[in-house]
Amino acid sequence: MNQEDINQLGPDESYVVVLFGASGDLSRRKLLPGLLHLSAAGMIPELRIVGTSLDALDDKSFATFALDACKEFSSRKYNKEQLDKFASKLRFVPQEAGPEALALAVAACESELEGVPKRLHYLSVPPRAALKVVKTLDDADLVDRSRIIMEKPFGTDRRSAVALNTRLHETFREEQIFRIDHFLGKEAAQNILAFRFANGLFEPIWNRNFIDHVQIDVPETLSLGTRAAFYEATGAYRDMVVTHLFQILAFMAMEPPTALEPSSIIEEKNKVFRSMKPISPKNVVRGQYAGYLKEPGVAADSETETFVALKVEIDNWRWAGVPFYLRTGKRLAEGQRIISIAFHEPPKSMFPPGSGVGQKGPDHLTFDLADQSKMSLSFYGKRPGPGMKLDKLSLQFAMQDSELGGDVLEAYERLILDAMRGDQTLFTSAEGIERVWEVSAPLLENPPPVRPYGPGTWGPNAIHQLIAPHAWRLPFERDWRT
């Protein structure tokens, strides 16, 4: 990537980043390594980072923590000079020191930078602590010239989401608030927009006349880990569907925006949410993996779902009658992030019985949202040799196949840059999040019972009745080519 492209990616102004929860796991694994890359690559003109958390660190111990994190988790290699330069940009204020100490640290950092720096506040904190952090920023007089990034969940139902947004808007304007969804920061998710709207081949068939159904599948192999307190109050639906999967669905289903700019794209996403029918409990399968009740911190009679599959209907002209099937859960057979679009089969087949046509399902267009960013188009083609035998074939593309594969930004890196630039395209709006909680109300008020499933499987058996007469796309009948 040349320097001109780098300059276009980043902000024009220098920045002071205030990182709340700076010694936490997200900061260690993603945020600090990401900020190191953005700084070392020259994507941010000038940068200072003020970390704060409950831990009693100082500037030196925080710099050691940050460099250790970058060495362990960064996907790129840096020399000693680059690491030392990044360490010189770091400051730390213990949370117990209060708003005044935080304000002094930010002011000291700003005095080292030219012009009038802007501020980015990243709230890598539990949801219950978010409003306390907002009050700290207000008390420290750090709201001006600032933007704030918030981690999910954004409420637990519509009432709590409205209350949260109301409290936020007492301190920050909506255009200052960036509700992050790292799924949308992935290159493959953004490629959906390019694939749809830059190619005359696909946009004309992106509707109910050609598409039979859509699957969005995000299984995880991980167990609960140390997140019992969070997960018991949340569950798979609140944790994954309302945030990640519904946002991906909106990208898939939105109408062409009037311009490739944030307000137009956000409005089209919100139109999708307005068109969604309320989620009926009869169209939902909830599950809980065997052994969940024995996890530390889990109630012995817990009804929290670790798995959820559901059918979503969008009641508009483009998608009427096309079901969207969503599935996610813990302790499943594979870790994947797949969008699979099944096209209608031909209305009549001229091929003789036994030819193989239709035996492996309809044609599919598949997006892999994992870091390698892959796409596949499957179709039937003739097997070489005499007779008319058909096999399922595929065209596949991976970003790593191109010479630009090394330029891919990680999701958090891209989203931090977008927030600095004030670009809300890949973030969730207050209206959007309140609407998806509204359509979720029937399910939240009357959830179906949780069904057991074995670790290493694809969920409860009832998922096959949910999607019938179709079949789940995972596991694939073929591997991605490497």
Side-chain angles (χ1 to χ4, degrees):
M1 187 181 297
N2 60 44
Q3 191 61 47
E4 182 179 352
D5 291 335
I6 288 174
N7 292 341
Q8 290 177 349
L9 277 173
D12 297 326
E13 310 90 346
S14 57
Y15 257 91
V16 175
V17 175
V18 182
L19 183 53
F20 291 87
S23 57
D25 193 57
L26 177 62
S27 175
R28 189 168 66 99
R29 290 176 175 272
K30 295 293 184 182
L31 304 182
L32 289 168
L35 287 166
L36 167 59
H37 175 231
L38 297 178
S39 178
M43 295 185 191
I44 306 171
E46 273 295 336
L47 173 70
R48 295 292 183 274
I49 300 168
V50 179
T52 181
S53 73
L54 295 173
D55 291 315
L57 303 176
D58 57 19
D59 290 354
K60 185 176 180 180
S61 56
F62 178 54
T64 300
F65 170 87
L67 294 187
D68 288 344
C70 292
K71 291 172 185 175
E72 182 176 358
F73 294 107
S74 177
S75 60
R76 305 169 179 91
K77 299 297 181 184
Y78 299 95
N79 59 39
K80 185 178 185 301
E81 181 182 356
Q82 291 172 311
L83 292 173
D84 289 346
K85 185 176 181 180
F86 182 65
S88 71
K89 302 175 186 291
L90 303 174
R91 308 289 183 271
F92 191 85
V93 178
Q95 193 168 311
E96 64 180 17
E100 184 176 340
L102 183 63
L104 288 173
V106 172
C109 286
E110 290 180 344
S111 69
E112 299 173 5
L113 303 174
E114 294 182 2
V116 183
K118 289 195 173 181
R119 303 158 178 163
L120 180 69
H121 308 306
Y122 199 118
L123 275 60
S124 179
V125 298
R128 64 181 181 277
L131 290 176
K132 187 181 295 185
V133 169
V134 170
K135 185 177 187 307
T136 296
L137 290 169
D138 197 16
D139 293 343
D141 196 23
L142 294 175
V143 176
D144 188 36
R145 294 183 278 117
S146 73
R147 297 179 175 121
I148 180 172
I149 296 180
M150 298 189 65
E151 287 281 342
K152 69 176 179 71
F154 314 112
T156 56
D157 54 22
R158 187 177 185 278
R159 181 178 179 180
S160 61
V162 170
L164 174 61
N165 287 329
T166 299
R167 291 283 301 279
L168 287 173
H169 291 155
E170 291 173 359
T171 305
F172 291 93
R173 302 184 306 277
E174 176 64 16
E175 58 266 28
Q176 291 179 280
I177 303 169
F178 292 75
R179 301 168 187 83
I180 196 168
D181 176 5
H182 70 274
F183 271 46
L184 294 187
K186 293 183 176 296
E187 201 72 34
Q190 299 162 57
N191 227 342
I192 296 170
L193 294 182
F195 195 85
R196 285 189 59 187
F197 301 128
N199 296 294
L201 176 62
F202 291 101
E203 180 54 25
I205 63 171
W206 210 267
N207 56 59
R208 59 188 172 84
N209 295 323
F210 296 92
I211 293 177
D212 185 77
H213 65 280
V214 177
Q215 296 180 37
I216 302 175
D217 220 341
V218 186
E220 297 180 294
T221 58
L222 299 174
S223 63
L224 194 62
T226 59
R227 303 176 70 212
F230 167 79
Y231 211 81
E232 274 288 270
T234 308
Y237 184 81
R238 288 181 170 94
D239 183 35
M240 291 292 292
V241 176
V242 171
T243 50
H244 301 318
L245 274 65
F246 279 168
Q247 294 300 316
I248 293 295
L249 183 151
F251 260 42
M252 283 292 307
M254 63 187 276
E255 295 296 321
T258 55
L260 193 64
E261 54 91 24
S263 61
S264 295
I265 293 175
I266 290 170
E267 173 58 17
E268 295 305 332
K269 286 169 57 183
N270 287 342
K271 285 180 182 178
V272 174
F273 297 141
R274 291 178 212 138
S275 300
M276 285 172 57
K277 291 184 177 181
I279 307 299
S280 170
K282 70 179 183 180
N283 290 331
V284 179
V285 175
R286 297 168 71 235
Q288 188 182 87
Y289 65 78
Y292 175 78
L293 298 180
K294 296 180 180 179
E295 297 276 13
V298 172
D301 58 349
S302 174
E303 289 290 307
T304 299
E305 80 279 359
T306 62
F307 171 96
V308 64
L310 62 152
K311 180 172 77 170
V312 177
E313 298 172 283
I314 301 175
D315 192 19
N316 64 17
W317 190 272
R318 182 182 291 264
W319 296 113
V322 177
F324 287 71
Y325 297 102
L326 281 54
R327 177 173 61 166
T328 187
K330 301 286 187 184
R331 296 295 303 273
L332 296 177
E334 296 177 17
Q336 296 276 6
R337 296 169 182 176
I338 296 292
I339 302 170
S340 190
I341 300 155
F343 294 99
H344 287 303
E345 297 190 49
K348 184 175 175 60
S349 176
M350 64 181 180
F351 297 96
S355 65
V357 67
Q359 289 183 0
K360 293 188 176 180
D363 300 339
H364 281 86
L365 175 62
T366 303
F367 293 88
D368 185 343
L369 300 187
D371 292 334
Q372 291 187 357
S373 183
K374 294 179 287 193
M375 292 182 290
S376 171
L377 179 62
S378 69
F379 55 92
Y380 286 96
K382 183 185 178 301
R383 183 186 303 173
M388 184 57 75
K389 288 284 189 179
L390 277 68
D391 286 327
K392 202 70 176 289
L393 310 173
S394 68
L395 298 172
Q396 296 186 8
F397 166 79
M399 187 62 68
Q400 299 303 321
D401 293 340
S402 77
E403 61 183 16
L404 301 177
D407 291 340
V408 174
L409 290 176
E410 293 188 2
Y412 282 97
E413 296 171 354
R414 169 61 187 263
L415 293 170
I416 288 171
L417 274 186
D418 282 356
M420 288 180 170
R421 294 167 53 236
D423 185 343
Q424 295 205 355
T425 301
L426 303 177
F427 295 84
T428 305
S429 69
E431 178 187 342
I433 197 65
E434 290 173 15
R435 172 59 184 167
V436 295
W437 282 123
E438 183 179 357
V439 300
S440 301
L443 171 62
L444 299 179
E445 293 167 2
N446 186 29
V450 291
R451 302 168 182 262
Y453 66 94
T457 67
W458 289 100
N461 288 332
I463 62 172
H464 302 296
Q465 286 76 52
L466 174 69
I467 201 171
H470 313 298
W472 290 100
R473 181 73 165 145
L474 287 178
F476 284 140
E477 70 272 14
R478 73 175 64 80
D479 293 328
W480 289 94
R481 287 195 291 271
T482 56

